[in-house]
Amino acid sequence: MKIRLTAAAMAVIGTAAFAQDDMTPSVTASDQTVGNGVVSAESVMAPANGWMVVHRTDSEMAPGPVVGYAPLREGENSDVVAILQDEVASGDMLMLMVHSEEGGMETGVFEYTLGATEDGPIRVDEDLVMTVITAE
């Protein structure tokens, strides 16, 4: 049995293959108001199940204490919302970072503390997968 693919069918197959290959971990977020006690990312691409972790940061761009986190599924996650566990003021800088679900004692429980290996940050070419926003 021969199967013929039309140009349109081949375009769909090519697009699907591209979408599967384009799994580069990333975080997309914008400056936002945090008066409602949450911070969100428009999109997070995760290489595996894990966490979007909200760290305090400053002009030196080093990750500081964790002020919130939200679970991630492997692949693309849209409108990821983390409840803030500390007070965040207008003008504060926040680093939204992808962390793994590896190395901890319990699956589904966020166990990271600053500098620990449990549920730690992932890296691509030695770079953290993150973006920085400013609270409005």
Side-chain angles (χ1 to χ4, degrees):
M1 177 173 156
K2 282 188 174 179
I3 298 175
R4 286 190 192 208
L5 295 176
T6 65
M10 289 177 68
V12 169
I13 291 169
T15 302
F18 175 76
Q20 289 175 349
D21 289 341
D22 191 24
M23 294 286 286
T24 303
S26 63
V27 180
T28 304
S30 303
D31 294 350
Q32 58 195 272
T33 181
V34 295
N36 57 356
V38 300
V39 65
S40 63
E42 289 96 31
S43 175
V44 179
M45 185 65 74
N49 292 342
W51 306 96
M52 179 187 77
V53 179
V54 182
H55 292 269
R56 289 190 184 277
T57 193
D58 56 24
S59 59
E60 293 183 21
M61 299 296 170
V66 173
V67 296
Y69 57 89
L72 297 172
R73 294 181 316 271
E74 178 180 0
E76 185 172 1
N77 296 261
S78 299
D79 194 26
V80 179
V81 179
I83 296 173
L84 294 170
Q85 299 167 338
D86 278 338
E87 191 93 10
V88 174
S90 179
D92 286 354
M93 295 173 68
L94 301 173
M95 181 178 286
L96 283 58
M97 183 184 302
V98 178
H99 280 236
S100 73
E101 175 56 33
E102 294 180 6
M105 298 298 288
E106 295 183 62
T107 300
V109 176
F110 183 66
E111 301 174 76
Y112 178 81
T113 56
L114 201 57
T117 58
E118 298 84 8
D119 298 344
I122 65 161
R123 295 178 182 270
V124 174
D125 298 328
E126 300 301 317
D127 294 325
L128 296 168
V129 179
M130 59 83 180
T131 193
V132 175
I133 65 163
T134 301
E136 296 178 340

